[in-house]
Amino acid sequence: MNPNKALWEKGDFTRIAASMRDSGKSLVERIGITKDQKVLDLGCGDGTTALPAAELGADVLGVDIARNLVDAGNNRARQHGLGNCTFREGDACNLDTIEDHSFDVSMSIFGAMFAPKPFDVAKEMVRVTRPGGRVVMGNWIPNDPTLVAQILKISSNYTPPPPEGFVSPMTWGVENHVTERFVSAGVPEENISFYRDTFTFTFPKAPAALVDEFRNYYGPTMNAFEAAEKNGRADQLQKELEALFNAQNQSTSKDSTSIPATFLHVTVTV
Ligand SMILES: C[S@@+](CC[C@H](N)C(=O)[O-])C[C@H]1O[C@@H](n2cnc3c(N)ncnc32)[C@H](O)[C@@H]1O
């Protein structure tokens, strides 16, 4: 089985996405999705950004490599009465079932960054976007001191080194790499812009309970715990993550969690 697909089908990302809904909605509003636009959400998960885009009146297609998340997205769209939002299985490296120039906006929020062939991702996102349309990405930033970059960094200290030739997803958080990928997809450099943006994770329990959600349901953290358990280091990993989540929690109540995380907001005019 494709290891990229296996990683995301392994857990249940809907459990993590539950802490991302408010920020997903406000991010979509900042992106400026409008009624009647055709929008692709690539690596959409269960629709944290796809559903709010559809609620704004756009015609939305969510594409994700994980079958369980596609099913969860279609269920959520149905529950919300959104006939203008559908989810389909697909790989960001090869969108061969989608015609050229199909979308006004092709967005990928912490999604396509996890696909293994970044140059193919940039090429495909540009290809399916109409001339004058926009590609928008939200990408975590390597070595950033905030939550997700630190979870991935801590987890990587407990997992075996990746196979040779593996390109870290975090390279999507480095402006030079992003520029190189979109320029090689045919976009002029001056059409690519960046700013630092914030996404806040909110959870109605203490930070340690959110760590448990990551431990039990988030593929990369599940893998880190599996590896750590084999070396008798799972308790140490748990402590490191709890210390991180507690230090970053900005909630005024100790029984709830609100953690802002910085990401690179990329806009490409095609
Ligand atoms: C961190 S989750 C983010 C999900 C969603 N965008 C959100 O913000 O809630 C990463 C998502 O990217 C998807 N993904 C990873 N690799 C992919 C690929 N090659 N093609 C399409 N989706 C992919 C995963 O299945 C997962 O749903």
Side-chain angles (χ1 to χ4, degrees):
M1 145 93 101
N2 172 348
N4 176 216
K5 182 174 169 66
L7 174 68
W8 292 99
E9 287 184 346
K10 180 183 182 116
D12 180 2
F13 189 76
T14 66
R15 300 288 295 239
I16 309 301
S19 66
M20 300 169 70
R21 303 297 188 214
D22 291 346
S23 272
K25 184 171 185 290
S26 61
L27 175 54
V28 164
E29 285 163 5
R30 278 200 300 291
I31 289 172
I33 305 288
T34 53
K35 195 170 158 23
D36 300 329
Q37 277 180 333
K38 289 194 74 184
V39 173
L40 171 68
D41 189 347
L42 194 53
C44 55
D46 68 348
T48 289
T49 44
L51 264 68
E55 276 158 356
L56 289 171
D59 182 9
V60 182
L61 174 65
V63 171
D64 199 282
I65 201 161
R67 182 75 244 169
N68 53 330
L69 298 177
V70 167
D71 292 343
N74 279 322
N75 285 336
R76 290 184 70 233
R78 212 171 298 122
Q79 283 159 11
H80 285 74
L82 291 166
N84 55 336
C85 187
T86 54
F87 293 77
R88 186 201 293 177
E89 205 175 312
D91 187 338
C93 302
N94 181 359
L95 300 171
D96 57 2
T97 59
I98 300 180
E99 286 185 15
D100 296 357
H101 310 158
S102 295
F103 298 100
D104 300 294
V105 178
S106 300
M107 62 179 176
S108 186
I109 308 305
F110 323 130
M113 66 175 285
F114 292 101
K117 296 179 186 161
F119 282 88
D120 291 358
V121 167
K123 194 179 81 191
E124 285 296 77
M125 289 193 88
V126 169
R127 180 184 68 74
V128 302
T129 307
R130 70 162 172 80
R134 280 178 297 152
V135 170
V136 179
M137 292 184 85
N139 299 330
W140 301 119
I141 301 167
N143 298 316
D144 184 83
T146 62
L147 187 75
V148 183
Q150 289 300 314
I151 296 175
L152 294 171
K153 188 173 180 188
I154 290 169
S155 299
S156 73
N157 292 334
Y158 290 83
T159 34
E164 191 137 333
F166 176 80
V167 182
S168 166
M170 301 303 280
T171 55
W172 274 110
V174 180
E175 295 182 16
N176 286 347
H177 285 295
V178 177
T179 300
E180 186 189 11
R181 290 162 189 174
F182 282 109
V183 166
S184 102
V187 175
E189 190 169 340
E190 58 273 21
N191 288 16
I192 307 166
S193 62
F194 304 96
Y195 70 95
R196 295 281 192 278
D197 202 346
T198 302
F199 200 96
T200 300
F201 290 78
T202 56
F203 192 65
K205 292 182 186 169
L210 185 55
V211 172
D212 289 342
E213 294 291 288
F214 275 81
R215 180 174 183 161
N216 294 323
Y217 301 107
Y218 182 63
T221 314
M222 292 168 78
N223 279 351
F225 271 102
E226 274 172 27
E229 265 153 25
K230 285 191 193 130
N231 303 322
R233 296 170 73 211
D235 287 350
Q236 193 183 326
L237 174 55
Q238 177 82 22
K239 278 197 192 111
E240 266 200 74
L241 290 176
E242 283 185 17
L244 170 72
F245 281 57
N246 281 318
Q248 306 245 338
N249 187 22
Q250 293 193 355
S251 170
T252 47
S253 153
K254 66 178 176 21
D255 296 325
S256 68
T257 305
S258 174
I259 304 182
T262 305
F263 68 96
L264 187 66
H265 189 133
V266 181
T267 306
V268 178
T269 305
V270 173

